[in-house]
Amino acid sequence: MTPISFGVANIMLYMVLVVAQLLIERKLKMDMLLEVPFSFIMGYILDLYQIIIPASSESLGLRIVILLAGNICIAFGVYTVQSHLVLAPVDGVILSISNHYNKAYSLCKNC
């Protein structure tokens, strides 16, 4: 076990990606600022899930519930990217690269 939890490591990575966006775009925008609290919320939620959800659950019913909850979270994530609400820093840096090089978002996301 490391002294840094998965959620804290995620927060640190997200902050690096926000800085990368600032370097790519060379200006501070409101959507970049909103990624900072989003990063902390997501990091703490990840730590909370690691406490709540056991790593190897034997119950098939619980596994199905977790799968459905994961699918709902992914659908919400896709909605936020397409509607340009608060983006995760991973998606924000890809959008910055896409805009900077005038390439399609989907092309940058898949490369």
Side-chain angles (χ1 to χ4, degrees):
M1 185 98 183
T2 63
I4 297 176
S5 69
F6 182 66
V8 172
N10 193 55
I11 292 169
M12 291 168 30
L13 173 66
Y14 277 6
M15 291 300 106
V16 168
L17 293 174
V18 170
V19 170
Q21 279 183 267
L22 288 170
L23 293 174
I24 291 169
E25 299 208 11
R26 300 194 187 268
K27 60 183 171 182
L28 183 62
K29 296 194 293 188
M30 185 58 134
D31 57 349
M32 287 181 206
L33 284 177
L34 291 174
E35 290 175 13
V36 174
F38 176 85
S39 301
F40 281 92
I41 292 168
M42 287 304 299
Y44 293 133
I45 287 174
L46 285 172
D47 281 342
L48 179 67
Y49 281 161
Q50 281 189 319
I51 294 168
I52 293 174
I53 301 172
S56 60
S57 174
E58 299 300 323
S59 168
L60 179 62
L62 181 59
R63 287 182 180 186
I64 290 172
V65 168
I66 292 170
L67 174 68
L68 293 174
N71 287 339
I72 291 169
C73 289
I74 289 171
F76 180 72
V78 169
Y79 170 75
T80 61
V81 169
Q82 289 184 351
S83 62
H84 295 290
L85 293 174
V86 177
L87 297 176
V90 174
D91 295 317
V93 78
I94 292 170
L95 186 62
S96 293
I97 291 169
S98 168
N99 291 337
H100 184 74
Y101 292 105
N102 295 321
K103 300 291 181 189
Y105 177 84
S106 57
L107 178 67
C108 294
K109 178 88 173 174
N110 292 324
C111 290

